[in-house]
Amino acid sequence: MNHTINNPAAIATHHPLAVRAAEEILLAGGNAIDAAVAAMVTLCVVLPGSVGLGGYGGSMVIYLADERKILALDFDSRAPREYRDDVYAPDAFAKSNNGYLALSTPAIIAGLSTALRDHGTKSWKDVTRFAAEVAENGFPMEPDSHKHLLKWQARTDPVSL
């Protein structure tokens, strides 16, 4: 593999494996969107309590230098179509944060694949390869991830088990 990145690049995430995923994509000729998607999918694997493939979603701000244009992509999760306030009464906060009523339609895959399709240069298979290898081969679990799993277990209601 060529170990030179032709364009100036900076990679910053809160996990070294995500940085490595992005770096590999950049070294393989990918652009910033390719690298961001590779990093994010890897974060979904290694830090599911922070973000996950079935998780909240998010947003991405993209600067297209050649066009001098800024884009924003919103891919937050969606509430169920049949949502009604009365289902969550009287304790909407607790019900919307714990148990089966807290579920929403995850949008992270849709958002990341849209960014890649519209502004990336690599395929979904290319940018997710590193994350898939990490998931398949294992990785050291972060202490915070273990804490998240224990908290989730403690809050799980009988219906969700």
Side-chain angles (χ1 to χ4, degrees):
M1 179 184 285
N2 179 358
H3 293 289
T4 302
I5 298 173
N6 294 328
N7 294 319
I11 304 164
T13 78
H14 57 297
H15 199 283
L17 288 175
V19 170
R20 213 164 113 208
E23 179 183 33
E24 285 189 11
I25 289 296
L26 291 172
L27 289 170
N31 68 15
I33 298 300
D34 301 321
V37 172
M40 188 63 169
V41 172
T42 301
L43 287 172
C44 289
V45 171
V46 299
L47 293 173
S50 176
V51 65
L53 293 175
Y56 172 68
S59 59
M60 183 182 287
V61 177
I62 301 167
Y63 177 65
L64 302 174
D66 292 343
E67 300 175 38
R68 297 181 56 128
K69 187 176 183 181
I70 298 171
L71 304 173
L73 180 59
D74 178 359
F75 47 97
D76 283 343
S77 297
R78 297 286 185 162
R81 184 176 300 210
E82 298 298 320
Y83 171 87
R84 295 184 332 269
D85 286 341
D86 62 299
V87 173
Y88 291 83
D91 193 359
F93 182 81
K95 288 181 178 179
S96 65
N97 283 287
N98 299 299
Y100 69 95
L101 289 174
L103 296 178
S104 61
T105 303
I108 194 156
I109 298 300
L112 295 177
S113 64
T114 297
L116 190 64
R117 179 195 69 218
D118 293 351
H119 306 291
T121 64
K122 298 289 186 184
S123 70
W124 183 258
K125 183 178 181 180
D126 289 340
V127 300
T128 59
R129 183 174 290 121
F130 185 86
E133 289 172 7
V134 168
E136 182 71 30
N137 298 323
F139 55 93
M141 181 179 273
E142 296 289 323
D144 283 347
S145 291
H146 185 250
K147 289 177 192 173
H148 279 292
L149 291 172
L150 292 175
K151 284 181 187 178
W152 287 338
Q153 182 182 24
R155 292 189 329 229
T156 302
D157 62 21
V159 175
S160 300
L161 289 174

